[in-house]
Amino acid sequence: MSTVYSDLPVVKYEGPNSTNPHAYRYYDANRVVLGKTLAEHLRPAVCYWHTFCWKGEDVFGLGATAHPRPWFNEADPVKAAYMKLDAAFDFFGKLGLPYWCFHDRDVAPEGATLAESNRILDGLLEAAAKKMQDSKVGLLWGTANLFSNARFMSGAATNPDPEVYAFAAAQVKHVMEWTNRLGGQNYVLWGGREGYETLLNTNLKRELAQYGRFLSSVVEHKHKIGFKGTILIEPKPQEPTKHQYDYDSATVYGFLKTYGLENEVKVNIEVNHATLAGHSFEHEVATACALGIFGSLDANRGDEQLGWDTDQFPNNHVALVPAMLEMIRHGGYTTGGTNFDAKVRRQSIDPIDQLEGHIGGMDTMARAFLNAVDLFQSGELEKTVADRYAGWEGDLGKKILGGASLDDLASVVHAQNISPVPRSGRQERLENIVNKYC
């Protein structure tokens, strides 16, 4: 079946010296490093929402058809959804990436009732299941859209109206069951409106308790239906709310600990959300890894001159090397992957722009990962870090971690006349080492 993407070239790996703008220069899916192929390490996915649902509109009045796609002009929303599905799998085939991701409302229009919405979604996901089987494209994760409809303007799980909470729960149930049926590797909860605009009308303690119960019920249903994937929360500090309860990885971990879910739920970290929270991307990855909740990544970037979530394709591999190094140190993905939660710019209106955006994003992530592998295997940073903490492997370090009291340690200090002197952290040298491998 011909689609708007049918005339696009099939993207292949041609190597760093290629001058073909429609070839991968660094993403060689079959290249083996650290015992796995690049495809197995990176597990890349195309997102459905930005790629096929965004019309190029903006808040300043730019028209909703700024990005001309046939399904945007189809009057019948269900017919348009099937047109979009055909085009999406055609596009997946051009890129040759192994996974895709979706929200329910990306795939299917909403009906008058949840039952009608589910019937429409069922038909489209039945068709998607057949396309997945034919194309060998897997599902990295599914999720329910609990933020676009006006019913969710005050949140879903944290809404002051229990009917909204119940509606959201029913919606999640249906999408999670479909994610399981499609062999999805993860199920994501993005609390886009789980937060507050003002504390003047907010019972924060109650809303956190609601959120905790909601997430617990999601985990319970996961086990009930035998879903083997991972439940993921996607941290974000604000926008659209003033403050969101899943602000960053550390905040999510504290929330999970409170409700006994730290061994059940992990995080899906987005680059642009990390920077909006005032952190570096590598900080969020390292924190999640250290706390045992690292799950998956949304690969994108923000604009350093803009203070909101611009969702641009990654294009600076050097900036991503430290985060890739943290991943490698902690064993990389299990069920997670690299989802391109990114969109082309408003003035990039042609289908080829979408292809080139994904090519550049994929090459950027692959190049960053390969540089990080070289850095890791060199052992230069690893030796420096090991040397810096070597004292903790000695008698004093073991005594401290073995439960020494303040009295015990005071006795040691006096008996051995301990008088520590500062030692350089060698930051400039280490930054130079990183640059050497980029």
Side-chain angles (χ1 to χ4, degrees), residues 90-128:
D90 193 3
F91 188 73
F92 300 157
K94 302 298 184 181
L95 288 169
L97 302 184
Y99 294 104
W100 68 301
C101 303
F102 72 88
H103 300 78
D104 50 355
R105 295 286 74 86
D106 302 331
V107 174
E110 191 162 10
T113 65
L114 182 60
E116 182 182 357
S117 297
N118 287 347
R119 285 194 296 272
I120 298 170
L121 181 65
D122 291 347
L124 280 148
L125 289 182
E126 290 280 4

Side-chain angles (χ1 to χ4, degrees), residues 5-330:
Y5 302 114
S6 294
D7 291 336
L8 297 183
V10 174
V11 183
K12 302 289 187 181
Y13 171 74
E14 293 185 5
N17 295 324
S18 175
T19 59
N20 179 2
H22 304 134
Y24 296 122
R25 298 173 61 231
Y26 295 95
Y27 177 58
D28 179 358
N30 298 315
R31 178 176 173 179
V32 176
V33 292
L34 298 178
K36 294 193 293 187
T37 66
L38 267 185
E40 291 171 324
H41 278 295
L42 295 174
R43 295 166 60 85
V46 180
C47 82
Y48 209 84
W49 49 101
H50 290 320
T51 313
F52 309 109
C53 301
W54 187 54
K55 300 177 181 179
E57 69 273 27
D58 65 25
V59 296
F60 300 103
L62 186 64
T65 56
H67 286 188
R69 305 289 182 261
W71 51 92
F72 293 153
N73 298 318
E74 172 54 53
D76 181 343
V78 175
K79 183 177 178 181
Y82 279 97
M83 292 171 62
K84 182 168 59 177
L85 187 70
D86 289 336
F89 275 86
D90 193 3
F91 188 73
F92 300 157
K94 302 298 184 181
L95 288 169
L97 302 184
Y99 294 104
W100 68 301
C101 303
F102 72 88
H103 300 78
D104 50 355
R105 295 286 74 86
D106 302 331
V107 174
E110 191 162 10
T113 65
L114 182 60
E116 182 182 357
S117 297
N118 287 347
R119 285 194 296 272
I120 298 170
L121 181 65
D122 291 347
L124 280 148
L125 289 182
E126 290 280 4
K130 178 65 166 58
K131 291 179 181 294
M132 288 172 64
Q133 184 177 28
D134 293 344
S135 65
K136 308 303 181 187
V137 173
L139 179 63
L140 187 63
W141 50 259
T143 187
N145 180 327
L146 306 180
F147 49 87
S148 291
N149 191 290
R151 71 174 67 90
F152 299 125
M153 71 176 183
S154 298
T158 59
N159 200 287
D161 184 348
E163 289 190 352
V164 176
Y165 179 109
F167 191 101
Q171 194 174 336
V172 167
K173 172 184 181 296
H174 194 71
V175 181
M176 185 187 296
E177 290 170 356
W178 260 112
T179 301
N180 187 37
R181 181 176 172 182
L182 293 172
Q185 301 288 294
N186 311 270
Y187 184 83
V188 172
L189 290 157
W190 180 62
R193 300 188 189 276
E194 310 295 12
Y196 63 80
E197 299 291 346
T198 174
L199 285 172
L200 297 176
N201 64 5
T202 301
N203 185 330
L204 193 148
K205 183 177 180 180
R206 176 181 290 278
E207 291 195 359
L208 288 173
Q210 290 173 209
Y211 202 3
R213 178 59 207 140
F214 192 91
L215 188 56
S216 295
S217 67
V218 170
V219 171
E220 291 162 8
H221 196 66
K222 165 191 167 172
H223 293 300
K224 180 179 179 180
I225 65 176
F227 178 47
K228 302 303 182 184
T230 302
I231 303 298
L232 300 171
I233 285 181
E234 183 168 321
K236 187 179 182 183
Q238 73 278 316
E239 191 201 49
T241 64
K242 176 181 178 179
H243 173 82
Q244 289 174 207
Y245 297 134
D246 46 9
Y247 189 93
D248 59 10
S249 293
T251 303
V252 170
Y253 181 74
F255 174 82
L256 296 177
K257 285 287 287 186
T258 299
Y259 295 98
L261 297 169
E262 69 273 16
N263 296 319
E264 294 281 2
V265 180
K266 299 185 185 299
V267 287
N268 179 61
I269 299 168
E270 179 176 313
V271 180
N272 208 170
H273 293 179
T275 53
L276 287 173
H279 303 312
S280 66
F281 179 38
E282 59 265 27
H283 166 86
E284 281 293 272
V285 174
T287 298
C289 289
L291 296 172
I293 58 170
F294 175 72
S296 197
L297 296 178
D298 274 7
N300 60 20
R301 64 183 168 97
D303 189 307
E304 294 180 357
Q305 294 176 299
L306 300 176
W308 62 85
D309 197 359
T310 56
D311 289 323
Q312 296 172 247
F313 280 96
N315 71 349
N316 182 348
H317 75 280
V318 176
L320 295 171
V321 169
M324 295 296 99
L325 180 62
E326 294 295 337
M327 278 182 55
I328 292 166
R329 283 171 168 168
H330 291 86

